[in-house]
Amino acid sequence: MIRKLSLLVLATALIVSACGRQVTPDRAGVGPGGLSSGFIQFKFRTAAPLDFAHVTYSVVLNTSGTGVTPYAPNGNIGRNYLDYSFRIDVGGAGVNGTVAPTLWQYVTTVVGGQTGPVDVRPVTGFFPSQLILNPNSNGQGTEFTLTIDRRIFNGIQTSSPSASPSATPTASATPTPSPTPTPTPAGATPSPTPVSSPTLAPTIPPNFSNVWYWNYFTSAGSTTLDAFSLIGAGAQDQQFSVPFDVTTSFELTRNASALPSITPASAQITGADITNAP
């Protein structure tokens, strides 16, 4: 009797499991590709294995709502980097050992009441889990992946100066001569000498849009080697534009043109995958 009852329970379990293939429900907050809610992921592919020691690989974003793709510096100087909001660099000259991503923000300043140069400032203070690099995500050495918490792009600094290099040098303020101190009588307590604070150029608070524009660059030093292009224009491409809305769930894949041929091939961009979980 016990054996018959056990067989009946087993048969019932099999019938129940056969009624639907999904036994475990999807985890809440998990988006396409298993990406956590609030995260975005960039895959960056090249023609030859990545050379982090000699090439800088950059993901550049325009989150400001100007509606313009951030084109490579070789063709973007006229706009003074106004279509750049953030840049994530991986690699660079002289990198050895561990490769870590670096996040930069482009901050527009105001000089004489007019829009002035754009300062490039490092963004720090976030957790390592908010900007994760997989330096070999396809197992062939030709692709890296950045997984990013989109919150690190919100409310970033807009007024504090930094020691980072600027896209356009800003002249230093002319020092003001200090007044000649008046002798203090014997036994009296000297008054502290006033110290003037440096005058900082005001900045324009960044706008943030749900529609982002993006580009991929490779460079060596100050020279841009390649940029994402669908028409074979490389770093000279001023037409590429594939915006996306970060309030939607998507997996975007684009293959770049194989032309022009870039030297070294490790700097030639061949493809991009962008995945977003709202």
Side-chain angles (χ1 to χ4, degrees), residues 60-127:
V60 186
L61 300 173
N62 178 2
T63 65
S64 69
T66 62
V68 181
T69 295
Y71 294 114
N74 293 351
N76 195 64
I77 294 177
R79 286 194 59 84
N80 196 25
Y81 296 92
L82 294 178
D83 299 313
Y84 288 44
S85 298
F86 297 95
R87 187 183 84 237
I88 306 102
D89 289 341
V90 179
V95 170
N96 292 309
T98 304
V99 179
T102 306
L103 176 61
W104 304 87
Q105 182 186 10
Y106 290 77
V107 181
T108 303
T109 60
V110 179
V111 178
Q114 303 294 321
T115 300
V118 177
D119 287 339
V120 186
R121 301 177 181 178
V123 179
T124 58
F126 51 85
F127 295 104

Short mmCIF file of all heavy atoms in Angstrom, two decimals, residues 60-127:
data_model
loop_
_atom_site.label_atom_id
_atom_site.label_comp_id
_atom_site.label_asym_id
_atom_site.label_seq_id
_atom_site.Cartn_x
_atom_site.Cartn_y
_atom_site.Cartn_z
N VAL A 60 31.72 57.12 -24.94
CA VAL A 60 31.39 58.53 -24.73
C VAL A 60 29.87 58.69 -24.82
O VAL A 60 29.22 58.15 -25.71
CB VAL A 60 32.07 59.42 -25.79
CG1 VAL A 60 31.85 60.89 -25.47
CG2 VAL A 60 33.56 59.12 -25.84
N LEU A 61 29.31 59.45 -23.86
CA LEU A 61 27.87 59.61 -23.76
C LEU A 61 27.46 61.07 -23.78
O LEU A 61 28.18 61.94 -23.23
CB LEU A 61 27.35 58.98 -22.46
CG LEU A 61 27.60 57.49 -22.26
CD1 LEU A 61 27.18 57.08 -20.85
CD2 LEU A 61 26.84 56.67 -23.30
N ASN A 62 26.33 61.34 -24.42
CA ASN A 62 25.68 62.64 -24.32
C ASN A 62 24.33 62.39 -23.65
O ASN A 62 23.40 61.89 -24.27
CB ASN A 62 25.48 63.27 -25.70
CG ASN A 62 24.76 64.61 -25.62
OD1 ASN A 62 24.43 65.10 -24.54
ND2 ASN A 62 24.51 65.21 -26.77
N THR A 63 24.24 62.73 -22.37
CA THR A 63 23.02 62.52 -21.60
C THR A 63 22.26 63.82 -21.39
O THR A 63 21.30 63.87 -20.63
CB THR A 63 23.36 61.92 -20.22
OG1 THR A 63 24.13 62.88 -19.47
CG2 THR A 63 24.17 60.64 -20.35
N SER A 64 22.68 64.90 -22.07
CA SER A 64 22.19 66.25 -21.76
C SER A 64 20.88 66.62 -22.44
O SER A 64 20.25 67.60 -22.06
CB SER A 64 23.25 67.27 -22.16
OG SER A 64 23.38 67.31 -23.58
N GLY A 65 20.51 65.89 -23.49
CA GLY A 65 19.29 66.24 -24.20
C GLY A 65 19.48 67.18 -25.36
O GLY A 65 18.50 67.69 -25.91
N THR A 66 20.73 67.44 -25.78
CA THR A 66 20.96 68.31 -26.94
C THR A 66 20.59 67.61 -28.24
O THR A 66 20.46 68.26 -29.27
CB THR A 66 22.43 68.77 -27.02
OG1 THR A 66 23.28 67.61 -27.20
CG2 THR A 66 22.85 69.51 -25.77
N GLY A 67 20.46 66.28 -28.20
CA GLY A 67 20.05 65.56 -29.39
C GLY A 67 21.13 65.38 -30.42
O GLY A 67 20.84 65.19 -31.60
N VAL A 68 22.39 65.43 -30.00
CA VAL A 68 23.52 65.32 -30.93
C VAL A 68 24.47 64.23 -30.43
O VAL A 68 24.77 64.15 -29.24
CB VAL A 68 24.28 66.65 -31.07
CG1 VAL A 68 25.43 66.51 -32.06
CG2 VAL A 68 23.33 67.76 -31.50
N THR A 69 24.94 63.40 -31.36
CA THR A 69 25.91 62.36 -31.03
C THR A 69 27.26 63.00 -30.71
O THR A 69 27.68 63.95 -31.39
CB THR A 69 26.07 61.39 -32.21
OG1 THR A 69 24.83 60.70 -32.40
CG2 THR A 69 27.17 60.37 -31.96
N PRO A 70 27.98 62.54 -29.69
CA PRO A 70 29.32 63.05 -29.40
C PRO A 70 30.33 62.49 -30.41
O PRO A 70 30.78 61.36 -30.26
CB PRO A 70 29.60 62.57 -27.98
CG PRO A 70 28.75 61.33 -27.83
CD PRO A 70 27.53 61.55 -28.68
N TYR A 71 30.64 63.26 -31.41
CA TYR A 71 31.56 62.79 -32.45
C TYR A 71 33.00 62.91 -31.98
O TYR A 71 33.32 63.61 -31.02
CB TYR A 71 31.34 63.57 -33.74
CG TYR A 71 29.99 63.31 -34.36
CD1 TYR A 71 29.04 64.31 -34.45
CD2 TYR A 71 29.65 62.03 -34.82
CE1 TYR A 71 27.78 64.06 -35.00
CE2 TYR A 71 28.40 61.77 -35.36
CZ TYR A 71 27.47 62.78 -35.44
OH TYR A 71 26.23 62.52 -35.97
N ALA A 72 33.89 62.22 -32.70
CA ALA A 72 35.30 62.17 -32.32
C ALA A 72 35.90 63.57 -32.30
O ALA A 72 35.50 64.44 -33.08
CB ALA A 72 36.07 61.28 -33.29
N PRO A 73 36.87 63.82 -31.40
CA PRO A 73 37.46 65.16 -31.29
C PRO A 73 38.00 65.72 -32.59
O PRO A 73 38.00 66.92 -32.81
CB PRO A 73 38.59 64.95 -30.26
CG PRO A 73 38.14 63.78 -29.46
CD PRO A 73 37.42 62.88 -30.42
N ASN A 74 38.48 64.86 -33.50
CA ASN A 74 39.04 65.35 -34.76
C ASN A 74 38.03 66.19 -35.54
O ASN A 74 38.41 67.07 -36.30
CB ASN A 74 39.48 64.17 -35.64
CG ASN A 74 40.65 63.42 -35.02
OD1 ASN A 74 41.23 63.87 -34.05
ND2 ASN A 74 41.00 62.27 -35.59
N GLY A 75 36.75 65.92 -35.35
CA GLY A 75 35.74 66.67 -36.09
C GLY A 75 34.78 67.40 -35.20
O GLY A 75 33.75 67.88 -35.65
N ASN A 76 35.09 67.52 -33.91
CA ASN A 76 34.13 68.08 -32.96
C ASN A 76 34.63 69.36 -32.31
O ASN A 76 33.97 69.91 -31.44
CB ASN A 76 33.82 67.05 -31.88
CG ASN A 76 32.59 67.40 -31.07
OD1 ASN A 76 31.50 67.44 -31.61
ND2 ASN A 76 32.78 67.66 -29.79
N ILE A 77 35.79 69.84 -32.70
CA ILE A 77 36.39 70.97 -32.02
C ILE A 77 35.51 72.21 -32.12
O ILE A 77 35.44 73.02 -31.21
CB ILE A 77 37.81 71.24 -32.58
CG1 ILE A 77 38.70 70.04 -32.23
CG2 ILE A 77 38.40 72.52 -32.02
CD1 ILE A 77 40.09 70.13 -32.77
N GLY A 78 34.81 72.37 -33.23
CA GLY A 78 33.97 73.54 -33.41
C GLY A 78 32.86 73.66 -32.37
O GLY A 78 32.45 74.75 -32.01
N ARG A 79 32.40 72.53 -31.86
CA ARG A 79 31.34 72.55 -30.84
C ARG A 79 31.91 72.57 -29.43
O ARG A 79 31.15 72.57 -28.46
CB ARG A 79 30.40 71.36 -31.02
CG ARG A 79 29.47 71.49 -32.21
CD ARG A 79 28.35 70.46 -32.16
NE ARG A 79 27.54 70.58 -30.96
CZ ARG A 79 26.53 71.43 -30.81
NH1 ARG A 79 26.22 72.24 -31.82
NH2 ARG A 79 25.83 71.49 -29.71
N ASN A 80 33.24 72.59 -29.32
CA ASN A 80 33.88 72.76 -28.02
C ASN A 80 33.43 71.70 -27.01
O ASN A 80 33.24 71.98 -25.83
CB ASN A 80 33.57 74.17 -27.48
CG ASN A 80 34.49 74.56 -26.34
OD1 ASN A 80 35.59 74.05 -26.24
ND2 ASN A 80 34.05 75.47 -25.50
N TYR A 81 33.21 70.48 -27.50
CA TYR A 81 32.83 69.36 -26.64
C TYR A 81 31.47 69.55 -25.96
O TYR A 81 31.17 68.92 -24.96
CB TYR A 81 33.89 69.09 -25.57
CG TYR A 81 35.23 68.68 -26.12
CD1 TYR A 81 36.22 69.61 -26.39
CD2 TYR A 81 35.50 67.34 -26.40
CE1 TYR A 81 37.45 69.23 -26.92
CE2 TYR A 81 36.73 66.95 -26.92
CZ TYR A 81 37.70 67.91 -27.19
OH TYR A 81 38.90 67.52 -27.70
N LEU A 82 30.61 70.40 -26.51
CA LEU A 82 29.33 70.67 -25.87
C LEU A 82 28.38 69.49 -25.94
O LEU A 82 27.38 69.46 -25.24
CB LEU A 82 28.67 71.90 -26.51
CG LEU A 82 29.41 73.23 -26.29
CD1 LEU A 82 28.70 74.36 -27.01
CD2 LEU A 82 29.52 73.55 -24.81
N ASP A 83 28.67 68.52 -26.80
CA ASP A 83 27.82 67.34 -26.91
C ASP A 83 28.39 66.16 -26.14
O ASP A 83 27.94 65.03 -26.31
CB ASP A 83 27.63 66.95 -28.39
CG ASP A 83 26.96 68.06 -29.17
OD1 ASP A 83 25.95 68.60 -28.68
OD2 ASP A 83 27.44 68.40 -30.26
N TYR A 84 29.38 66.43 -25.29
CA TYR A 84 29.95 65.40 -24.44
C TYR A 84 29.40 65.60 -23.02
O TYR A 84 29.39 66.71 -22.50
CB TYR A 84 31.47 65.52 -24.37
CG TYR A 84 32.24 65.11 -25.61
CD1 TYR A 84 31.84 65.50 -26.87
CD2 TYR A 84 33.40 64.36 -25.50
CE1 TYR A 84 32.56 65.14 -28.00
CE2 TYR A 84 34.13 63.99 -26.61
CZ TYR A 84 33.70 64.39 -27.86
OH TYR A 84 34.41 64.03 -28.98
N SER A 85 28.96 64.52 -22.40
CA SER A 85 28.56 64.58 -21.00
C SER A 85 29.50 63.75 -20.13
O SER A 85 30.00 64.23 -19.12
CB SER A 85 27.12 64.06 -20.83
OG SER A 85 26.20 64.85 -21.54
N PHE A 86 29.74 62.50 -20.55
CA PHE A 86 30.60 61.60 -19.79
C PHE A 86 31.45 60.77 -20.74
O PHE A 86 31.06 60.51 -21.88
CB PHE A 86 29.77 60.66 -18.91
CG PHE A 86 28.98 61.37 -17.85
CD1 PHE A 86 27.65 61.71 -18.07
CD2 PHE A 86 29.56 61.69 -16.63
CE1 PHE A 86 26.91 62.37 -17.11
CE2 PHE A 86 28.83 62.34 -15.65
CZ PHE A 86 27.50 62.68 -15.89
N ARG A 87 32.62 60.34 -20.24
CA ARG A 87 33.50 59.45 -20.99
C ARG A 87 34.05 58.41 -20.03
O ARG A 87 34.52 58.76 -18.94
CB ARG A 87 34.65 60.24 -21.62
CG ARG A 87 35.52 59.43 -22.57
CD ARG A 87 36.69 60.26 -23.10
NE ARG A 87 37.81 60.27 -22.19
CZ ARG A 87 38.37 61.36 -21.68
NH1 ARG A 87 37.89 62.55 -21.97
NH2 ARG A 87 39.42 61.27 -20.87
N ILE A 88 33.98 57.16 -20.43
CA ILE A 88 34.59 56.08 -19.64
C ILE A 88 35.77 55.55 -20.43
O ILE A 88 35.61 55.07 -21.55
CB ILE A 88 33.60 54.94 -19.35
CG1 ILE A 88 32.31 55.48 -18.70
CG2 ILE A 88 34.24 53.91 -18.42
CD1 ILE A 88 31.16 55.58 -19.63
N ASP A 89 36.96 55.68 -19.87
CA ASP A 89 38.19 55.22 -20.51
C ASP A 89 38.63 53.89 -19.94
O ASP A 89 38.58 53.67 -18.72
CB ASP A 89 39.33 56.24 -20.32
CG ASP A 89 39.13 57.51 -21.12
OD1 ASP A 89 38.34 57.49 -22.09
OD2 ASP A 89 39.78 58.52 -20.79
N VAL A 90 39.10 53.02 -20.82
CA VAL A 90 39.70 51.76 -20.41
C VAL A 90 41.05 51.64 -21.09
O VAL A 90 41.15 51.76 -22.31
CB VAL A 90 38.82 50.55 -20.79
CG1 VAL A 90 39.48 49.25 -20.36
CG2 VAL A 90 37.43 50.68 -20.17
N GLY A 91 42.11 51.42 -20.32
CA GLY A 91 43.45 51.31 -20.90
C GLY A 91 44.10 52.67 -21.05
O GLY A 91 43.67 53.68 -20.50
N GLY A 92 45.18 52.69 -21.81
CA GLY A 92 45.95 53.91 -22.01
C GLY A 92 47.42 53.61 -22.02
O GLY A 92 47.87 52.55 -21.60
N ALA A 93 48.21 54.57 -22.51
CA ALA A 93 49.65 54.38 -22.65
C ALA A 93 50.29 54.00 -21.32
O ALA A 93 50.07 54.66 -20.31
CB ALA A 93 50.29 55.64 -23.20
N GLY A 94 51.05 52.95 -21.34
CA GLY A 94 51.82 52.57 -20.17
C GLY A 94 51.09 51.74 -19.15
O GLY A 94 51.63 51.43 -18.09
N VAL A 95 49.83 51.37 -19.43
CA VAL A 95 49.08 50.57 -18.47
C VAL A 95 49.68 49.17 -18.38
O VAL A 95 49.89 48.50 -19.39
CB VAL A 95 47.59 50.47 -18.87
CG1 VAL A 95 46.87 49.45 -18.00
CG2 VAL A 95 46.93 51.84 -18.74
N ASN A 96 49.96 48.74 -17.18
CA ASN A 96 50.48 47.39 -16.95
C ASN A 96 49.69 46.73 -15.84
O ASN A 96 49.20 47.39 -14.92
CB ASN A 96 51.97 47.44 -16.55
CG ASN A 96 52.85 47.90 -17.70
OD1 ASN A 96 52.78 47.38 -18.80
ND2 ASN A 96 53.68 48.90 -17.44
N GLY A 97 49.55 45.45 -15.92
CA GLY A 97 48.84 44.73 -14.86
C GLY A 97 47.35 44.97 -14.93
O GLY A 97 46.73 44.89 -15.98
N THR A 98 46.75 45.28 -13.78
CA THR A 98 45.30 45.43 -13.69
C THR A 98 44.82 46.65 -14.46
O THR A 98 45.37 47.74 -14.33
CB THR A 98 44.88 45.55 -12.21
OG1 THR A 98 45.34 44.42 -11.49
CG2 THR A 98 43.37 45.63 -12.10
N VAL A 99 43.78 46.45 -15.26
CA VAL A 99 43.18 47.54 -16.03
C VAL A 99 41.89 47.95 -15.34
O VAL A 99 41.06 47.10 -15.02
CB VAL A 99 42.88 47.11 -17.48
CG1 VAL A 99 42.24 48.24 -18.26
CG2 VAL A 99 44.16 46.65 -18.16
N ALA A 100 41.73 49.23 -15.08
CA ALA A 100 40.53 49.72 -14.40
C ALA A 100 39.90 50.84 -15.22
O ALA A 100 40.62 51.66 -15.81
CB ALA A 100 40.88 50.22 -13.00
N PRO A 101 38.58 50.91 -15.27
CA PRO A 101 37.93 51.99 -16.01
C PRO A 101 38.01 53.31 -15.25
O PRO A 101 38.05 53.33 -14.01
CB PRO A 101 36.49 51.51 -16.13
CG PRO A 101 36.29 50.62 -14.94
CD PRO A 101 37.61 49.97 -14.69
N THR A 102 38.04 54.41 -15.98
CA THR A 102 38.06 55.75 -15.41
C THR A 102 36.89 56.55 -15.97
O THR A 102 36.69 56.58 -17.18
CB THR A 102 39.37 56.49 -15.73
OG1 THR A 102 40.48 55.69 -15.32
CG2 THR A 102 39.43 57.83 -15.02
N LEU A 103 36.12 57.19 -15.08
CA LEU A 103 34.95 57.96 -15.49
C LEU A 103 35.27 59.45 -15.43
O LEU A 103 35.79 59.95 -14.44
CB LEU A 103 33.77 57.63 -14.58
CG LEU A 103 32.47 58.41 -14.81
CD1 LEU A 103 31.92 58.18 -16.21
CD2 LEU A 103 31.43 58.02 -13.76
N TRP A 104 34.93 60.15 -16.53
CA TRP A 104 35.15 61.59 -16.63
C TRP A 104 33.84 62.30 -16.95
O TRP A 104 32.99 61.75 -17.63
CB TRP A 104 36.16 61.92 -17.73
CG TRP A 104 37.49 61.25 -17.59
CD1 TRP A 104 37.85 60.02 -18.05
CD2 TRP A 104 38.65 61.78 -16.94
NE1 TRP A 104 39.16 59.74 -17.73
CE2 TRP A 104 39.68 60.81 -17.05
CE3 TRP A 104 38.92 62.98 -16.28
CZ2 TRP A 104 40.94 61.00 -16.53
CZ3 TRP A 104 40.20 63.17 -15.76
CH2 TRP A 104 41.19 62.19 -15.88
N GLN A 105 33.71 63.53 -16.45
CA GLN A 105 32.55 64.35 -16.78
C GLN A 105 33.01 65.63 -17.47
O GLN A 105 34.04 66.21 -17.12
CB GLN A 105 31.76 64.73 -15.53
CG GLN A 105 30.51 65.57 -15.86
CD GLN A 105 29.79 66.08 -14.62
OE1 GLN A 105 30.30 65.97 -13.52
NE2 GLN A 105 28.61 66.64 -14.80
N TYR A 106 32.25 66.04 -18.47
CA TYR A 106 32.50 67.30 -19.17
C TYR A 106 31.59 68.36 -18.58
O TYR A 106 30.37 68.25 -18.64
CB TYR A 106 32.24 67.13 -20.67
CG TYR A 106 33.27 66.27 -21.35
CD1 TYR A 106 33.23 64.88 -21.23
CD2 TYR A 106 34.31 66.84 -22.10
CE1 TYR A 106 34.19 64.08 -21.85
CE2 TYR A 106 35.26 66.04 -22.72
CZ TYR A 106 35.20 64.66 -22.58
OH TYR A 106 36.16 63.88 -23.19
N VAL A 107 32.20 69.39 -17.99
CA VAL A 107 31.45 70.44 -17.30
C VAL A 107 31.62 71.75 -18.04
O VAL A 107 32.74 72.24 -18.22
CB VAL A 107 31.94 70.59 -15.84
CG1 VAL A 107 31.13 71.65 -15.11
CG2 VAL A 107 31.83 69.26 -15.11
N THR A 108 30.52 72.35 -18.46
CA THR A 108 30.56 73.61 -19.20
C THR A 108 30.66 74.78 -18.23
O THR A 108 29.89 74.88 -17.28
CB THR A 108 29.30 73.77 -20.06
OG1 THR A 108 29.18 72.64 -20.94
CG2 THR A 108 29.37 75.04 -20.90
N THR A 109 31.61 75.69 -18.47
CA THR A 109 31.81 76.85 -17.60
C THR A 109 31.25 78.11 -18.26
O THR A 109 30.94 78.14 -19.44
CB THR A 109 33.30 77.05 -17.31
OG1 THR A 109 34.00 77.27 -18.54
CG2 THR A 109 33.89 75.84 -16.61
N VAL A 110 31.14 79.16 -17.44
CA VAL A 110 30.66 80.45 -17.93
C VAL A 110 31.76 81.48 -17.69
O VAL A 110 32.23 81.64 -16.56
CB VAL A 110 29.38 80.88 -17.18
CG1 VAL A 110 28.90 82.24 -17.69
CG2 VAL A 110 28.28 79.84 -17.36
N VAL A 111 32.19 82.15 -18.74
CA VAL A 111 33.24 83.15 -18.65
C VAL A 111 32.72 84.46 -19.23
O VAL A 111 32.32 84.51 -20.40
CB VAL A 111 34.51 82.70 -19.41
CG1 VAL A 111 35.57 83.80 -19.35
CG2 VAL A 111 35.05 81.40 -18.84
N GLY A 112 32.69 85.51 -18.41
CA GLY A 112 32.21 86.80 -18.89
C GLY A 112 30.76 86.77 -19.35
O GLY A 112 30.37 87.49 -20.26
N GLY A 113 29.96 85.92 -18.70
CA GLY A 113 28.56 85.82 -19.07
C GLY A 113 28.30 84.98 -20.30
O GLY A 113 27.15 84.80 -20.70
N GLN A 114 29.35 84.45 -20.90
CA GLN A 114 29.22 83.64 -22.09
C GLN A 114 29.63 82.19 -21.81
O GLN A 114 30.43 81.93 -20.90
CB GLN A 114 30.10 84.20 -23.23
CG GLN A 114 29.80 85.65 -23.60
CD GLN A 114 28.41 85.80 -24.19
OE1 GLN A 114 27.95 84.96 -24.96
NE2 GLN A 114 27.74 86.90 -23.85
N THR A 115 29.07 81.26 -22.57
CA THR A 115 29.47 79.87 -22.43
C THR A 115 30.96 79.73 -22.74
O THR A 115 31.41 80.13 -23.81
CB THR A 115 28.67 78.97 -23.38
OG1 THR A 115 27.28 79.11 -23.06
CG2 THR A 115 29.08 77.53 -23.24
N GLY A 116 31.71 79.22 -21.78
CA GLY A 116 33.14 79.15 -21.93
C GLY A 116 33.63 77.75 -22.24
O GLY A 116 32.89 76.91 -22.74
N PRO A 117 34.89 77.48 -21.92
CA PRO A 117 35.47 76.17 -22.22
C PRO A 117 34.83 75.07 -21.37
O PRO A 117 34.19 75.33 -20.35
CB PRO A 117 36.95 76.35 -21.87
CG PRO A 117 36.96 77.46 -20.87
CD PRO A 117 35.85 78.38 -21.27
N VAL A 118 34.98 73.85 -21.82
CA VAL A 118 34.45 72.69 -21.11
C VAL A 118 35.58 72.04 -20.33
O VAL A 118 36.58 71.62 -20.91
CB VAL A 118 33.82 71.69 -22.10
CG1 VAL A 118 33.34 70.45 -21.37
CG2 VAL A 118 32.67 72.34 -22.86
N ASP A 119 35.43 71.97 -19.02
CA ASP A 119 36.41 71.30 -18.17
C ASP A 119 36.13 69.80 -18.15
O ASP A 119 34.97 69.38 -18.12
CB ASP A 119 36.35 71.83 -16.73
CG ASP A 119 36.93 73.22 -16.60
OD1 ASP A 119 37.71 73.61 -17.48
OD2 ASP A 119 36.59 73.91 -15.63
N VAL A 120 37.20 69.01 -18.15
CA VAL A 120 37.07 67.56 -18.04
C VAL A 120 37.49 67.18 -16.64
O VAL A 120 38.63 67.40 -16.25
CB VAL A 120 37.95 66.84 -19.09
CG1 VAL A 120 37.69 65.34 -19.05
CG2 VAL A 120 37.69 67.40 -20.48
N ARG A 121 36.56 66.60 -15.87
CA ARG A 121 36.82 66.34 -14.47
C ARG A 121 36.59 64.87 -14.14
O ARG A 121 35.64 64.26 -14.64
CB ARG A 121 35.90 67.20 -13.60
CG ARG A 121 36.08 68.69 -13.86
CD ARG A 121 35.14 69.54 -13.06
NE ARG A 121 35.33 70.96 -13.35
CZ ARG A 121 34.60 71.93 -12.81
NH1 ARG A 121 33.64 71.62 -11.95
NH2 ARG A 121 34.83 73.18 -13.13
N PRO A 122 37.43 64.28 -13.30
CA PRO A 122 37.23 62.88 -12.92
C PRO A 122 36.02 62.74 -12.01
O PRO A 122 35.76 63.62 -11.18
CB PRO A 122 38.53 62.52 -12.20
CG PRO A 122 39.02 63.83 -11.66
CD PRO A 122 38.61 64.87 -12.65
N VAL A 123 35.29 61.67 -12.15
CA VAL A 123 34.15 61.38 -11.28
C VAL A 123 34.56 60.24 -10.35
O VAL A 123 34.95 59.16 -10.80
CB VAL A 123 32.91 60.97 -12.10
CG1 VAL A 123 31.74 60.66 -11.17
CG2 VAL A 123 32.53 62.08 -13.07
N THR A 124 34.50 60.50 -9.06
CA THR A 124 34.90 59.51 -8.06
C THR A 124 33.82 59.42 -7.00
O THR A 124 32.80 60.10 -7.07
CB THR A 124 36.24 59.89 -7.41
OG1 THR A 124 36.11 61.19 -6.80
CG2 THR A 124 37.36 59.95 -8.44
N GLY A 125 34.05 58.57 -6.01
CA GLY A 125 33.14 58.50 -4.88
C GLY A 125 32.03 57.47 -5.02
O GLY A 125 31.21 57.33 -4.12
N PHE A 126 32.01 56.74 -6.13
CA PHE A 126 31.01 55.69 -6.26
C PHE A 126 31.61 54.35 -5.85
O PHE A 126 32.83 54.20 -5.72
CB PHE A 126 30.46 55.62 -7.69
CG PHE A 126 31.52 55.56 -8.75
CD1 PHE A 126 32.07 54.35 -9.13
CD2 PHE A 126 31.97 56.72 -9.39
CE1 PHE A 126 33.06 54.28 -10.10
CE2 PHE A 126 32.96 56.66 -10.36
CZ PHE A 126 33.50 55.44 -10.72
N PHE A 127 30.75 53.34 -5.67
CA PHE A 127 31.22 52.02 -5.27
C PHE A 127 31.75 51.24 -6.47
O PHE A 127 31.26 51.43 -7.60
CB PHE A 127 30.08 51.23 -4.61
CG PHE A 127 29.60 51.82 -3.33
CD1 PHE A 127 28.39 52.51 -3.28
CD2 PHE A 127 30.34 51.70 -2.16
CE1 PHE A 127 27.93 53.07 -2.09
CE2 PHE A 127 29.89 52.24 -0.97
CZ PHE A 127 28.69 52.93 -0.93
#
